[in-house]
Amino acid sequence: MTNDDLSRAWDRHAETYARVGAPCTGYIAQSLFHTVAGRLPSAAHMLEIACGNGELSRAAVMHCLEERKTTGTCGRVVATDFSPEMVAHAKSNLGVLGAADIVRCEVRDGQALGFEDASFDAVFSAFGIFLFPDRNAGWREAARVLRPGGLLATAVWRGPEDNALARLQMAPVMAALPERVRASLPRASWLDIASPEGLAKEVSAAGFVDPEVSVFNAVLTAPTPRAMWSMMRENPVTRSLFAACSDEELAPVERSVLSSFEELAGGADRPVRFDASCHFLVARRA
Ligand SMILES: C[S@@+](CC[C@H](N)C(=O)[O-])C[C@H]1O[C@@H](n2cnc3c(N)ncnc32)[C@H](O)[C@@H]1O
């Protein structure tokens, strides 16, 4: 899949992501921002890469508004994503904050940002860079646009052994996928950075120092089992699991997932909750 194809796939997912995904991961993204807020310089120039609906930027803008109230001056936020539809959602999400002079939203590929070198004090990416096809280009771009000593904060899911969300989503899929498809699935490349050591090593190789990795746990709530299944069918990451399935092969997968989620939820019209676990990495640009 080309980068343009990928961007269009996220465009198609933007509405569902805003409705079902962002309310789940928004709290995590905002917590990632709060993990470094106390270490930011005054009037910090901040960048969010792969912002989706802009939930992390929302916390950054609130920080700037508070700073302005207490000091009369404040930082700036640039929220970016390579999907124009995601950027449109971020624009309307952040627009209600009445902070047009503080935040701007732009379509930018995180693997080739196009900003000046050393132009930001802090760069954030929640569940963004970790899924880029060229992750190293993503970390290197983050390092390039940060001033020396500037802060990187990123969130990456933990692997299935440590993360019930990944286990509970994947188990009913794997149980029902035809053997032909299951056997041909490549190992997900982000699993290389699902461990704290793997994540710290990869980010350090791109020009960062003093990596700190911490565990962050959250409970994600989808309104119904079917809403979560729709997310999985549409999300460009999980849908790749189903790409090789015919409609006949997909029907049992859907039944398997829905019945597993309905059991967890206690009914088809009940919310389904997943214990989710990720790593927060904070590091400084060398
Ligand atoms: C799982 S969502 C995370 C969104 C948001 N950060 C959050 O925590 O809710 C992944 C986002 O990465 C964006 N994305 C994927 N590849 C990208 C790239 N090469 N450059 C910029 N954004 C990208 C997608 O458009 C999508 O909005």
Side-chain angles (χ1 to χ4, degrees):
M1 213 189 238
T2 67
N3 217 36
D4 284 350
D5 292 338
L6 264 176
S7 158
R8 277 192 288 273
W10 283 102
D11 272 347
R12 286 192 292 276
H13 186 49
E15 202 276 320
T16 307
Y17 193 79
R19 198 164 30 79
V20 185
C24 286
T25 53
Y27 161 67
I28 305 178
Q30 291 173 6
S31 300
L32 178 65
F33 174 78
H34 293 138
T35 300
V36 294
R39 294 184 243 180
L40 292 170
S42 53
H45 197 192
M46 297 177 268
L47 170 67
E48 183 180 7
I49 296 172
C51 67
N53 215 42
E55 293 297 325
L56 186 145
S57 288
R58 168 189 289 274
V61 171
M62 299 303 284
H63 171 91
C64 293
L65 288 169
E66 186 59 29
E67 185 180 28
R68 184 154 69 188
K69 211 165 22 171
T70 49
T71 69
T73 178
C74 74
R76 295 284 179 274
V77 181
V78 186
T80 64
D81 198 287
F82 79 160
S83 149
E85 286 299 321
M86 288 287 187
V87 171
H89 277 280
K91 230 177 227 170
S92 86
N93 187 24
L94 298 170
V96 300
L97 299 176
D101 56 335
I102 291 176
V103 63
R104 57 180 213 271
C105 302
E106 295 181 359
V107 176
R108 302 254 177 181
D109 182 352
Q111 298 161 131
L113 285 164
F115 293 115
E116 298 276 300
D117 291 359
S119 47
F120 292 95
D121 298 299
V123 170
F124 301 90
S125 188
F127 310 117
I129 296 175
F130 95 110
L131 50 75
F132 289 3
D134 188 351
R135 241 180 9 240
N136 288 323
W139 304 128
R140 278 198 306 271
E141 273 296 84
R144 186 186 64 74
V145 301
L146 267 174
R147 63 165 173 78
L151 285 161
L152 168 73
T154 193
V156 173
W157 291 117
R158 299 175 80 197
E161 60 286 1
D162 302 305
N163 181 3
L165 170 70
R167 276 198 306 278
L168 294 169
Q169 282 188 320
M170 284 309 112
V173 172
M174 291 303 169
L177 274 183
E179 178 51 29
R180 172 186 63 80
V181 177
R182 204 170 35 227
S184 66
L185 286 177
R187 178 179 177 277
S189 119
W190 67 269
L191 289 173
D192 293 343
I193 54 165
S195 72
E197 300 77 23
L199 177 60
K201 187 172 163 208
E202 186 170 292
V203 168
S204 301
F208 291 95
V209 292
D210 303 332
E212 296 165 21
V213 182
S214 57
V215 170
F216 188 87
N217 297 320
V219 179
L220 309 191
T221 305
T224 59
R226 187 163 286 282
M228 192 53 154
W229 168 243
S230 303
M231 272 275 293
M232 290 168 64
R233 280 289 289 118
E234 218 183 75
N235 182 302
V237 180
T238 39
R239 70 173 290 157
S240 62
L241 294 168
F242 316 122
C245 290
S246 65
D247 288 349
E248 294 71 42
E249 288 170 330
L250 200 52
V253 178
E254 174 172 322
R255 278 197 300 278
S256 169
V257 171
L258 285 177
S259 89
S260 165
F261 288 0
E262 283 167 18
E263 199 179 321
L264 285 172
D269 59 350
R270 299 300 156 98
V272 57
R273 299 200 174 95
F274 300 92
D275 288 325
S277 191
C278 62
H279 285 128
F280 284 178
L281 172 134
V282 179
R284 285 198 182 273
R285 163 84 158 88

